[in-house]
Amino acid sequence: MTTTRFAPSPTGYIHVGNLRTALMNYLIARKAGGSFILRIDDTDPERSKEEYVDAIKQDLEWLGLTWDRIERQSDRLDRYVAAADELRSIGRFYEAFETPTELDLKRKKQLNMGKPPVYDRAALALSEDEKSALRAERGDGVWRFKLDHERIEWKDGVLGDISIDASSVSDPVLIRGDGQFLYTLASVVDDTEMGVSHVVRGSDHVTNTATQIQIIKALGGTVPEFAHHSLLTGPQGEALSKRLGTLALRDLREAGVQPMALLSLMARLGSSDPVEVRNEMAELIDGFDINRFGAAPTKFDVEDLYPLTARYLQSLSLEDVKPHIDALGVPADKQEAFWALTKENITTLKDLAGWWELCCEGAEPLIAEEDAEFIAEAMALLPEGPYDETSWKSWTTAVKEATGRKGKGLFMPLRKAVTGRERGPDMSALLALMSVVKARG
Ligand code: GLU
């Protein structure tokens, strides 16, 4: 059975970069009729916060990325203890006592000699007495996994054939000096015990994958299929890491971005398939293929989400948006007309408020100096409301006759005077919904 997981650390709000990982894992599970796990990677008690766990759930719910099961690493510490014991018993785990400064010095020396900065395994040579002495002096050491120095190979769903020389990688620390289990071990134990069959994550995890493959094998687990998607960059190819904080999903939601616009973009961006707005998650699931994604960094421009949101909204019926229109206080008998005329003229649903305000209260007229006289004359010909679908036609006909203006020179200044804007919906329909037209010239 296909099982995937999204494994955020609850140390902040999730952003578009995390969403890409979540979505790909979700789509793979759903396409295969499998299972999607939300795994909270909270082994770091200082940095993990409950408010972020709640926020992650809310953000995924907003997008409709429903999970079949939720797991928390902090509930599973006994499993990691057992795995650590197992690694010790098979001679693949050793305690090391170097301080961060000592490690740093070693690295600098290696780099100076033109060597890769790989941990030299000095701790393997320590006798039991030496270890006891170091423990007494420095406290418990860290626990490192002893890699087999061979090539680690896998066929990556995005990157293709990967081969990494284990001797170019430091033996990973799996338990810190204070006893805290690190993600590298916890993740392997969880993936194995939860039957995770496919792991999609960012390409910053490639080296982790190499070491995790050896840990999985050492613990007798089955190696899942791995795929590492490229990292997102800004529109000019600039690193996005510093800006990701401003691209939190909750900020996009707040800005009016529609879930399906965001999902439609993120499910295809960086693949050989075109980005098209979809209305149903099922369409995204059907057309998804991780193998169609490229390894090159993927450019992401947050501005692209707005035309996609607008296009999505245009496809909706009144029924789909009724709660928003109700909330504005649009009377039931005017809702159909209001939505029909605004849907093509909004970027997000937030723009509806401005159009309804125009209908109820009119707008400050926008009058070019050279049109001032013309508008004064035209306004004198505008009857008091209420208006209906014929009001615009009869008014503009009267204005045309009185002033001799026609075409754009007639209609544009009138539109600007009535709505205070240069663009907008069909004026006959709009005027019919307006209760007042402000400032008569
Ligand atoms: N908690 C890890 C992270 O957020 C999970 C990585 C993984 O998918 O294995 O980077």
Side-chain angles (χ1 to χ4, degrees):
M1 156 142 145
T2 298
T3 300
T4 64
R5 81 313 193 266
F6 172 49
S9 307
T11 54
Y13 296 121
I14 50 176
H15 49 66
V16 284
N18 307 123
L19 167 61
R20 206 153 171 246
T21 309
L23 181 58
M24 288 177 169
N25 284 294
Y26 173 85
L27 293 173
I28 289 174
R30 291 290 171 259
K31 187 162 182 174
S35 171
F36 176 62
I37 301 172
L38 171 59
R39 190 184 84 201
I40 304 294
D41 283 5
D42 57 353
T43 50
D44 183 341
E46 263 140 57
R47 295 182 59 229
S48 301
K49 299 252 166 358
E50 210 48 41
E51 68 175 283
Y52 293 128
V53 176
D54 294 339
I56 289 165
K57 290 194 220 163
Q58 283 164 8
D59 290 344
L60 294 178
E61 274 164 5
W62 170 60
L63 290 166
L65 300 182
T66 47
W67 53 92
D68 302 296
R69 186 168 147 192
I70 182 163
E71 297 282 353
R72 296 183 69 135
Q73 291 194 325
S74 55
D75 290 339
R76 297 177 42 80
L77 297 179
D78 57 335
R79 306 306 311 149
Y80 313 143
V81 171
D85 288 344
E86 168 79 12
L87 292 177
R88 267 183 214 107
S89 76
I90 58 172
R92 297 293 297 273
F93 221 21
Y94 63 95
E95 199 174 4
F97 297 88
E98 288 88 350
T99 62
T101 321
E102 286 168 349
L103 289 173
D104 208 37
L105 214 67
K106 285 188 187 202
R107 270 194 292 268
K108 283 192 181 127
K109 266 192 200 157
Q110 286 167 316
L111 288 171
N112 278 342
M113 288 160 61
K115 287 188 183 162
V118 175
Y119 177 61
D120 62 5
R121 296 184 161 175
L124 280 177
L126 296 173
S127 67
E128 283 310 318
D129 286 348
E130 286 168 321
K131 285 195 231 176
S132 305
L134 280 165
R135 221 174 274 129
E137 182 195 317
R138 302 184 171 186
D140 286 344
V142 302
W143 285 85
R144 288 184 183 263
F145 175 71
K146 187 162 171 279
L147 289 166
D148 269 341
H149 283 173
E150 56 184 26
R151 295 204 78 85
I152 306 168
E153 301 186 327
W154 74 93
K155 193 167 184 57
D156 193 278
V158 172
L159 303 174
D161 287 321
I162 300 281
S163 172
I164 289 178
D165 180 1
S167 59
S168 70
V169 182
S170 296
D171 288 339
V173 173
L174 303 187
I175 303 178
R176 295 201 320 197
D178 63 4
Q180 187 183 310
F181 286 96
L182 290 181
Y183 147 81
T184 314
L185 177 64
S187 183
V188 158
V189 172
D190 293 346
D191 286 342
T192 302
E193 293 189 1
M194 295 172 195
V196 169
S197 60
H198 293 71
V199 173
V200 180
R201 53 191 180 187
S203 53
D204 50 337
H205 280 291
V206 167
T207 309
N208 275 341
T209 297
T211 60
Q212 286 180 329
I213 285 176
Q214 281 208 2
I215 303 170
I216 295 168
K217 288 183 174 163
L219 291 171
T222 309
V223 179
E225 303 273 336
F226 283 101
H228 295 83
H229 61 69
S230 65
L231 299 184
L232 295 180
T233 70
Q236 260 70 52
E238 72 277 23
L240 208 54
S241 46
K242 291 209 184 69
R243 287 192 36 224
L244 282 173
T246 64
L247 294 171
L249 301 189
R250 51 197 39 229
D251 296 335
L252 298 178
R253 174 171 66 213
E254 194 54 39
V257 168
Q258 283 289 317
M260 280 314 294
L262 181 55
L263 295 171
S264 296
L265 181 67
M266 298 319 275
R268 298 292 184 268
L269 192 69
S271 79
S272 50
D273 295 316
V275 173
E276 286 161 26
V277 188
R278 306 289 184 174
N279 280 52
E280 302 296 335
M281 186 75 87
E283 298 173 68
L284 292 180
I285 295 169
D286 278 351
F288 184 77
D289 182 355
I290 187 81
N291 302 135
R292 296 168 78 101
F293 283 77
T298 302
K299 288 189 177 143
F300 168 79
D301 188 348
V302 67
E303 290 307 320
D304 290 344
L305 291 169
Y306 295 96
L308 291 170
T309 292
R311 221 173 304 151
Y312 171 77
L313 292 174
Q314 282 166 22
S315 72
L316 299 184
S317 67
L318 172 62
E319 207 187 325
D320 298 323
V321 293
K322 200 164 178 350
H324 297 271
I325 297 199
D326 282 340
L328 293 174
V330 183
D333 62 334
K334 293 208 161 61
Q335 292 191 347
E336 201 62 71
F338 179 69
W339 178 238
L341 70 84
T342 50
K343 67 196 281 186
E344 309 268 341
N345 289 283
I346 52 173
T347 303
T348 73
L349 288 172
K350 291 156 89 96
D351 298 337
L352 287 175
W355 288 115
W356 186 238
E357 190 186 308
L358 171 68
C359 292
C360 300
E361 289 161 32
E364 283 311 315
L366 197 61
I367 305 171
E369 224 176 279
E370 66 270 22
D371 290 327
E373 230 172 275
F374 164 70
I375 293 298
E377 206 177 335
M379 284 302 175
L381 293 168
L382 179 67
E384 291 284 345
Y387 307 107
D388 61 25
E389 273 77 19
T390 65
S391 308
W392 174 254
K393 177 94 177 110
S394 46
W395 180 43
T396 53
T397 307
V399 174
K400 185 176 169 185
E401 276 164 15
T403 65
R405 285 217 197 191
K406 54 183 190 219
K408 211 173 168 227
L410 169 70
F411 295 114
M412 191 47 129
L414 294 180
R415 170 186 288 279
K416 290 197 304 191
V418 171
T419 68
R421 312 183 193 205
E422 297 199 0
R423 266 175 296 274
D426 171 59
M427 282 302 299
S428 306
L430 182 58
L431 188 59
L433 277 182
M434 288 182 66
S435 16
V436 281
V437 174
K438 262 196 190 165
R440 316 197 133 227

